Amino acid sequence: MADNGNGFRAMAARLGQAEERAVFETAHKMQKILEEGAEKVSDFDVKQAALHLWNAAVRLRQQREATQSNCEIRHIAARLLFMRGLGTTFKDLKQQMSIATKTAACWQDLNVNHMAEAALVLALQAWEKLSSTYPKSELPFEEAFRLFVHRADIAASQNMQDVAYTCVKYAREYLAELPSAQGKVLAQLVHNLGVNSLEAREFQQGTHWLKMATDLMKEFDPIPAKLSKTLRLLAWAYMELAQPRLALNAAEMAVAEEPSLYAHKMKLEALVRVAAPDQQPEVLAVLLACLDCDGLTADTAEKLIATVTAKMSFSREQTLQIVEKIQQRFQGNTEELVRGSLLAYNILIACDMGELANKVIEELIEGHISRTRLIAENNVTKMHAAFWALGSKAFLEGRTADALRQFNYSLSLSPSTSLSGPDHVKLLCNTAWCHLKLGQYPKAVHFAGESINLSKTNARAWYFLFAAHLKNNNMIAAIEAMRQLFLCGPSSASGAGAG
C-alpha cells in the first residue's frame, strides 16, 4: 500500500493528455485505490485527482455528445470530492455542490434519472451545510436554483409530485436573489411539467402546474403567444375535468393574450358547454371570431359549426351571418372555396333555406366549376356524395325539381373527375327519371340513353327509355326499348328508385 499515494498522483497528472476510454479506466483505478487503501492518499491528492478527472470529462464533453462513460467519469469525480466528507470552507462546499449538480444534469441528459438523483443527493448535502453555516448574503443562490430545478424535474418524472412541488417552491424563492432570466427557466420547466401531466392524463395535477406556470410567465416571461398556449392547455385540462366554467375563464384569458384560432376554438367549446339557450348572440360572436381567424380550414369550420349546432339552433338571420362569413372566408383558394360552399349549402339546407342553398351551389358551379381540375379528387368525390345524398332525399320527399338540380350539380363535375362505373350509371339513370317525372321526355331519353351506353343490361334505364318514348308517342322506339328490357333478365322496372 505504500505506493498508493505516488501512483494516485501520477495517474491524476496523466489525465490531461488521456482520451475518454483512458480517462474512464484511470478513474476506476483511482476509485479502486481509494477503496483498498484510502488512508495512504492525502486529502489534497484526492481533491486534486477529482478536479483533474472532472476537467478531463468536461474537455471531452465539449468535443462530442454526452456519453454514458463521460457521465460515469463525472460521477466518480463527484464521489471523490465527497469521499472525505463535506468541505470545511465555503469554496470547497460550493465546488462540491456545483460539480454534483452538473453531474446530475449530465445523467439527466441521458435520461438516467436514478443516477442523477444520486448526484443530487450529494449536492443537497453540500447546500444544506452551506445554508446552515453562512449568511444569506453570501450563499450561491444560482447554484441552489439549478439544483432544485433539476431535482424538481427528476422528481416529477418519477411521479414524486410532492417533492417536485417543494423543489419548485424553493427555486421560486431563490429567484428574488437572481437575474430575471432564471425566472424564464423556471417558468418553462413548470410549463413542461404541466404538459407532461396532461400527456399522462393527470389533469388535476396538470392544472396545478399550468396555473403556476401562468403566474411565472406573467412575471418573468410575459410573451403573449407563450402565455396563450399555457392558458389554452389549462382550459383543456379543466374541460377534461368537467369544469367548463373554469375552462371558459382560462380560454378567455388565452384569447386576451393572443386571439388565435386555437384560443378562440377553446373558448367556443367551453362556452357551448355552459351557455343557456338565450346566450345565442354570445356563442354566435365567438363562432364568427373563429371563422375569421387565420389558419382556418373548411374542415375545421365544419367541426366548429357541428359543435355549436349540436347544442343550440340559430335564427334565420344568425344562420345567414354564419353563411356569409364562410363565403367571405374561403374566397381566395379554389379548394377551400368548394369545401366552404358545400358547408354553407348544407347549413342552409338543414335550416330549410333550400332556395338560398341552391343559389350558393349555382354560383359555385357557374363561377368556378371550370377550375375543378385544381380541386383534389377526394373533395370532388365528397361533392358527388353530398349532391347524391341531397338529390336522393329530395326525390323521396317528392321534390323532383330539387332532386334534378342536385343530380345536375353532380353531373357537372363528371368531366373533371374519375367518376365512372356503377355510380355514374346510377346518376345518369336517376337524372333520366327526374326528367321523366317532370314531363321533360326528350331529356329523359337522352340521359337514359347515356346510362345504357355505359351498361347495356341496365333494366331501370331501359324502362325509363321505354316510358319516355311512349310519352313522346315514339311507338317504334318504345317497343324496341321494351324488348331490350325483357332481354335484361329478371330485373324489374318496378325496382326503379333514387337509390
Side-chain angles (χ1 to χ4, degrees):
M1 292 294 186
D3 294 329
N4 279 351
N6 292 331
F8 198 85
R9 283 193 294 274
M11 281 188 286
R14 290 197 298 270
L15 286 173
Q17 291 75 42
E19 292 299 324
E20 184 168 16
R21 190 65 230 167
V23 172
F24 181 67
E25 292 172 355
T26 303
H28 279 288
K29 289 178 183 177
M30 293 168 73
Q31 187 179 30
K32 188 174 181 181
I33 288 174
L34 289 172
E35 290 171 351
E36 292 178 352
E39 71 281 356
K40 301 294 183 179
V41 183
S42 69
D43 290 350
F44 176 81
D45 285 341
V46 171
K47 180 180 178 181
Q48 290 303 305
L51 295 178
H52 280 306
L53 200 58
W54 176 262
N55 291 334
V58 171
R59 188 188 70 255
L60 291 167
R61 173 68 184 274
Q62 290 171 347
Q63 298 170 3
R64 66 197 75 175
E65 295 295 321
T67 63
Q68 177 89 9
S69 60
N70 192 278
C71 288
E72 290 183 13
I73 294 167
R74 289 167 180 258
H75 204 93
I76 293 172
R79 287 185 59 198
L80 287 173
L81 270 184
F82 282 85
M83 185 161 279
R84 298 293 171 82
L86 291 170
T88 56
T89 68
F90 179 89
K91 180 181 178 181
D92 288 343
L93 287 167
K94 182 181 176 183
Q95 194 172 59
Q96 286 178 318
M97 177 182 169
S98 176
I99 285 178
T101 301
K102 290 175 181 177
T103 299
C106 187
W107 283 119
Q108 198 174 0
D109 287 344
L110 295 180
N111 293 316
V112 186
N113 287 335
H114 69 284
M115 293 300 292
E117 179 70 19
L120 287 174
V121 168
L122 298 176
L124 280 168
Q125 293 173 6
W127 169 247
E128 286 170 0
K129 185 170 181 180
L130 273 170
S131 58
S132 63
T133 305
Y134 296 94
K136 182 178 179 181
S137 59
E138 296 180 15
L139 294 178
F141 283 108
E142 190 163 354
E143 294 291 344
F145 176 81
R146 290 198 199 97
L147 163 61
F148 283 101
V149 163
H150 286 302
R151 184 152 170 74
D153 199 3
I154 292 169
S157 71
Q158 297 172 335
N159 205 28
M160 297 188 295
Q161 297 301 321
D162 289 342
V163 174
Y165 290 141
T166 300
C167 290
V168 169
K169 178 185 174 185
Y170 282 129
R172 177 72 180 84
E173 290 175 3
Y174 301 154
L175 285 177
E177 313 295 329
L178 299 173
S180 60
Q182 299 294 353
K184 295 181 182 180
V185 172
L186 186 60
Q188 188 61 53
L189 167 70
V190 175
H191 170 88
N192 292 343
L193 295 180
V195 171
N196 294 342
S197 296
L198 299 189
E199 289 175 348
R201 302 196 69 77
E202 298 287 345
F203 296 109
Q204 192 67 54
Q205 178 180 297
T207 61
H208 294 315
W209 288 124
L210 292 171
K211 284 192 291 184
M212 191 185 302
T214 300
D215 292 339
L216 286 165
M217 285 179 176
K218 286 180 178 178
E219 184 174 355
F220 298 104
D221 196 19
I223 297 175
K226 286 186 176 181
L227 261 172
S228 183
K229 181 179 180 181
T230 301
L231 288 163
R232 291 197 319 265
L233 290 171
L234 179 59
W236 177 57
Y238 281 132
M239 290 287 279
E240 293 292 329
L241 292 170
Q243 297 176 318
R245 293 197 180 278
L246 291 176
L248 180 58
N249 290 338
E252 286 176 337
M253 288 190 285
V255 170
E257 290 294 336
E258 183 185 52
S260 65
L261 173 61
Y262 300 108
H264 279 300
K265 278 173 58 181
M266 186 56 67
K267 181 179 178 181
L268 181 65
E269 290 174 18
L271 181 58
V272 167
R273 291 269 193 101
V274 302
D278 61 354
Q279 288 183 282
Q280 286 175 331
E282 186 178 349
V283 174
L284 177 63
V286 179
L287 175 58
L288 293 176
C290 287
L291 297 177
D292 210 28
C293 286
D294 291 339
L296 181 77
T297 65
D299 280 347
T300 301
E302 186 173 5
K303 291 174 184 176
L304 291 172
I305 291 167
T307 298
V308 174
T309 54
K311 178 70 181 290
M312 61 177 58
S313 57
F314 292 109
S315 67
R316 178 185 175 88
E317 291 73 19
Q318 291 170 329
T319 300
L320 290 176
Q321 287 184 60
I322 296 171
V323 169
E324 182 181 4
K325 181 63 72 175
I326 290 171
Q327 290 181 298
Q328 291 173 353
R329 185 68 183 77
F330 300 116
Q331 283 298 318
N333 177 283
T334 301
E335 180 84 9
E336 289 295 296
L337 171 65
V338 172
R339 299 169 78 176
S341 296
L342 283 172
L343 174 58
Y345 178 87
N346 290 332
I347 293 169
L348 291 167
I349 287 294
C351 295
D352 295 323
M353 289 187 267
E355 187 176 341
L356 288 173
N358 289 326
K359 185 178 179 182
V360 169
I361 296 299
E362 285 166 3
E363 290 176 356
L364 173 66
I365 297 295
E366 292 170 6
H368 299 278
I369 210 63
S370 62
R371 296 159 63 192
T372 52
R373 293 183 188 279
L374 301 176
I375 304 171
E377 187 167 325
N378 65 323
N379 287 327
V380 177
T381 302
K382 288 180 183 178
M383 292 173 71
H384 277 299
F387 294 144
W388 176 264
L390 292 166
S392 299
K393 181 175 184 290
F395 194 93
L396 292 173
E397 292 174 353
R399 296 182 286 110
T400 306
D402 286 343
L404 179 59
R405 183 180 290 108
Q406 306 307 323
F407 295 147
N408 281 333
Y409 290 156
S410 191
L411 284 170
S412 68
L413 293 171
S414 299
S416 61
T417 185
S418 60
L419 182 70
S420 60
D423 289 338
H424 195 46
V425 170
K426 190 183 295 185
L427 177 59
L428 290 166
C429 195
N430 282 8
T431 304
W433 190 16
C434 288
H435 283 300
L436 184 62
K437 293 203 68 171
L438 292 170
Q440 300 166 353
Y441 306 126
K443 289 185 177 180
V445 168
H446 170 76
F447 284 103
E450 289 290 317
S451 182
I452 289 167
N453 287 338
L454 295 175
S455 176
K456 300 296 185 183
T457 59
N458 184 353
R460 293 175 63 225
W462 282 114
Y463 174 78
F464 297 148
L465 185 62
F466 158 74
H469 281 314
L470 189 65
K471 291 286 187 180
N472 219 21
N473 293 317
N474 190 342
M475 301 307 295
I476 295 176
I479 291 170
E480 177 60 22
M482 179 61 74
R483 189 177 72 82
Q484 293 293 335
L485 174 61
F486 287 138
L487 291 175
C488 289
S491 299
S492 172
S494 63

